[in-house]
Amino acid sequence: MDVMIRRHGAYVCRSCAQSLPKQLRRAYSATAQPDLYDVVCVGGGPAGLSLLTALRANPVTAHLRVALVDAQDLAKIKSWKLPPYRFSNRCSSLTPSSALFLDQIGAWRHLERDRVQAYQEMQVWDGVTGARIEFDWAPGSGPAAGTTIAYMNENLNLTSGLLKRLEELGGVSMFDNARVEKIAYGEETDEMDLREWPVVHLSGGQQLSARLLVGADGANSPVRSFAGIEAHGWDYNRHGVVATLEMEGEGWGGGHTKIAYQRFLPTGPVAMLPLPGNYSTLVWSTTPSNASLLKSLSAKDLIAMVNAAFRLSPTDLEYMHTQESGQADEYSWRLEHTPFDCQAVPQTVVGVQEGSIASFPLKLRHADTYIAERVALVGDAAHTIHPLAGQGLNQGQGDVQSLAKTIEYAVSHGQDIGVTMSLEPYVSERYAANHVLLGVCDKLHKLYSVGSGPLVPLRSLGLSAVNAMNPLKNFLMNQAAGNGIKVF
Ligand SMILES: Cc1cc2nc3c(=O)[nH]c(=O)nc-3n(C[C@H](O)[C@H](O)[C@H](O)COP(=O)(O)OP(=O)(O)OC[C@H]3O[C@@H](n4cnc5c(N)ncnc54)[C@H](O)[C@@H]3O)c2cc1C
């Protein structure tokens, strides 16, 4: 696809301009016009990098002139490396359908596969009543990926792998270490009419003009603000505390089966997800004050709190959150008086990797739409979800898959890829699906935030009933594997 430039009052495509007489070509290039691109993607996180990889890997869209803008140092991310016994604290579960998509665009093989951990079982339970649901694929009933429910992976392993794949494909103009200073519409000059084209002004002074501007720029998306698209939602008044943990013994889950655990506490769910070897990653959604306390504790007391979160009662935990220190002793004492099924909880945590504890405020946001004239939003720029279902990044992969398909269709039918008419299929395919998932996770968060009252036995009854119904459980798991609902 080519861009249009103005020549003597008429519009011609840029490749035609290349065949203009030399003097005119010089005049064209000497003017201080923005650089013209078919696609400018702001944001080199998982969503933005996957989109550009999908466009470059597809012969139909590979000729598009594309640019990537990110504030981070992408060369550093591409060469990201950690020793095998250290893991980044930012991990995400990738559903088999996200993994399949990454494979189709040639990125999966660029991930460090020995740092990716598949898991085959999930244990989810109500911290107040103990009602429990177990998910695993009965042999032969799972999707093509076999018995895998999802893959735990460090976000940096993914972005590094995507950057390696993009390097292999080539053809992307990279503007990294570059913040977006301003986005405005272009101007009409003797040469070009860019009045309807977004122009991205970068901190380094460059100006990039986009036939289609993609906002893959996260929850505070400057692209979304430029397009005047409102995003609605609320803050949960909860923080997601993350850390890399070391487990007792050689590994966990028994045999080759790896298990993910999540317990719903009245302050929020606490999840422990398997990483390779005897490591795991923690995602503990809790109040901001609890999160501050957890981050302030010594390693010994933090370990005790995490073990307590899966074993002790919510009342015990509440008390331990009031202590400034000494949780390790408190835990040992309380554990002696607490009966629990040691088969049904994760292995004991024995270590926490230095510097790995951090927390992120949790919120729900949904943009009113994902498209405007010459603008499309993907990933967290379009929606931010509570992490209890581990779906945020997967939703972004679903968006990217759909947008790449929409662009492919527009290119192959000679349409302008930037106009809303061409972009409509993308928003129709993704908006409602994302909205349902945002709603389900929000309701789950609210349902399990209730610590007492008539709702508590009712929700446990619901959980036990679902657990007893294999067809319903298989339905939920199929949804989870295919970018749909996942109960954790
Ligand atoms: C605690 C926690 C646990 C989670 N667990 C899971 C999970 O298990 N599974 C899952 O699927 N999801 C999970 N998520 C969600 C997941 O992390 C996000 O949905 C995902 O990282 C969003 O990717 P993205 O590419 O859309 O945006 P981001 O990763 O936010 O990337 C945005 C990019 O835009 C760039 N950018 C932003 N503004 C500018 C600017 N002005 N100029 C230049 N560049 C800019 C940034 O540098 C960044 O690289 C979790 C989230 C949290 C908080």
Side-chain angles (χ1 to χ4, degrees):
M1 176 155 304
D2 215 332
V3 291
M4 303 302 284
I5 62 171
R6 198 160 169 185
R7 278 279 165 273
H8 311 296
Y11 292 97
V12 293
C13 62
R14 192 187 41 217
S15 50
C16 309
Q18 302 302 314
S19 58
L20 287 171
K22 232 182 193 163
Q23 311 89 299
L24 282 180
R25 275 214 313 267
R26 202 173 303 120
Y28 164 61
S29 57
T31 52
Q33 294 299 334
D35 231 352
L36 302 178
Y37 289 92
D38 292 310
V39 179
V40 173
C41 177
V42 180
L49 292 175
S50 301
L51 177 72
L52 292 181
T53 307
L55 293 178
R56 294 291 308 147
N58 182 341
V60 179
T61 51
H63 67 285
L64 294 176
R65 192 159 190 253
V66 296
L68 172 67
V69 175
D70 200 287
Q72 300 186 82
D73 184 344
L74 296 179
K76 209 164 139 192
I77 294 176
K78 191 175 70 195
S79 57
W80 169 83
K81 198 150 191 71
L82 281 180
Y85 50 85
R86 283 202 74 84
F87 290 89
S88 159
N89 58 7
R90 288 309 309 273
C91 297
S92 293
S93 58
L94 288 170
T95 59
S97 89
S98 292
L100 182 65
F101 171 59
L102 290 164
D103 192 37
Q104 283 163 350
I105 62 175
W108 190 245
R109 66 192 152 85
H110 288 279
L111 269 65
E112 287 194 42
R113 291 301 310 281
D114 52 356
R115 301 185 69 89
V116 180
Q117 182 60 61
Y119 58 88
Q120 297 79 20
E121 192 179 327
M122 289 192 290
Q123 296 264 351
V124 181
W125 71 105
D126 186 329
V128 178
T129 65
R132 182 177 284 268
I133 187 161
E134 289 132 22
F135 291 97
D136 60 358
W137 289 114
S141 66
T147 56
T148 295
I149 289 176
Y151 302 87
M152 276 320 289
N153 179 47
E154 296 152 289
N155 293 359
L156 280 165
N157 192 14
L158 175 59
T159 46
S160 169
L162 283 162
L163 282 163
K164 285 175 189 150
R165 173 62 175 147
L166 272 180
E167 183 180 51
E168 185 178 83
L169 290 163
V172 178
S173 303
M174 298 271 189
F175 298 88
D176 63 349
N177 293 305
R179 286 200 70 77
V180 172
E181 298 255 291
K182 182 175 95 173
I183 308 174
Y185 283 109
E187 292 169 0
E188 186 182 27
T189 66
D190 286 348
E191 300 289 330
M192 288 167 279
D193 184 0
L194 294 175
R195 285 173 302 171
E196 289 176 2
W197 283 44
V199 179
V200 180
H201 298 248
L202 302 184
S203 44
Q206 303 94 331
Q207 297 179 21
L208 317 176
S209 183
R211 179 184 291 281
L212 173 63
L213 175 62
V214 176
D217 42 359
N220 301 317
S221 167
V223 172
R224 192 181 64 221
S225 306
F226 158 74
I229 300 173
E230 298 265 331
H232 295 282
W234 42 84
D235 295 347
Y236 282 111
N237 192 28
R238 292 288 185 276
H239 283 205
V241 177
V242 296
T244 306
L245 307 170
E246 203 177 320
M247 318 300 289
E248 191 175 46
E250 301 254 306
W252 59 323
H256 293 298
T257 302
K258 291 278 185 168
I259 306 175
Y261 294 89
Q262 179 154 281
R263 185 186 190 201
F264 281 92
L265 296 165
T267 41
V270 54
M272 185 113 67
L273 305 130
L275 290 173
N278 60 332
Y279 298 97
S280 67
T281 185
L282 173 80
V283 183
W284 188 346
S285 310
T286 189
T287 61
S289 57
N290 283 357
S292 303
L293 176 89
L294 291 171
K295 288 192 290 180
S296 72
L297 295 178
S298 66
K300 196 169 97 176
D301 287 338
L302 175 64
I303 290 165
M305 284 302 276
V306 175
N307 285 324
F310 288 94
R311 289 165 177 80
L312 298 187
S313 73
T315 316
D316 284 339
L317 270 171
E318 200 179 328
Y319 173 75
M320 288 167 74
H321 269 114
T322 63
Q323 296 182 286
E324 277 178 22
S325 62
Q327 280 83 355
D329 292 338
E330 191 69 30
Y331 171 63
S332 309
W333 179 82
R334 286 180 185 256
L335 190 66
E336 280 175 30
H337 303 92
T338 308
F340 68 90
D341 177 2
C342 60
Q343 299 297 316
V345 294
Q347 279 177 286
T348 306
V349 177
V350 292
V352 55
Q353 287 194 348
E354 208 186 325
S356 71
I357 186 156
S359 71
F360 302 89
L362 305 180
K363 55 188 171 186
L364 178 145
R365 291 284 187 281
H366 203 188
D368 285 349
T369 176
Y370 300 164
I371 60 168
E373 203 63 17
R374 306 215 169 276
V375 171
L377 305 175
V378 289
D380 276 21
H383 40 72
T384 318
I385 193 169
H386 193 293
L388 68 83
Q391 284 293 337
L393 195 150
N394 292 296
Q395 282 185 302
Q397 294 301 297
D399 297 346
V400 163
Q401 207 168 349
S402 174
L403 181 59
K405 195 172 64 182
T406 301
I407 295 173
E408 178 191 352
Y409 182 90
V411 170
S412 57
H413 289 77
Q415 298 169 359
D416 180 341
I417 59 167
V419 297
T420 45
M421 213 169 65
S422 302
L423 296 169
E424 274 299 340
Y426 163 57
V427 79
S428 336
E429 185 172 45
R430 292 301 298 162
Y431 198 88
N434 283 335
H435 202 73
V436 168
L437 197 50
L438 285 160
V440 168
C441 293
D442 185 54
K443 300 297 170 295
L444 277 173
H445 165 74
K446 288 181 176 142
L447 183 64
Y448 283 95
S449 299
V450 179
S452 59
L455 207 54
V456 174
L458 271 180
R459 75 182 179 209
S460 293
L461 203 64
L463 207 61
S464 306
V466 175
N467 199 34
M469 285 188 269
N470 275 334
L472 182 55
K473 275 209 302 190
N474 279 350
F475 169 78
L476 290 173
M477 287 178 65
N478 267 311
Q479 292 293 305
N483 264 327
I485 300 160
K486 184 165 147 236
V487 181
F488 130 82

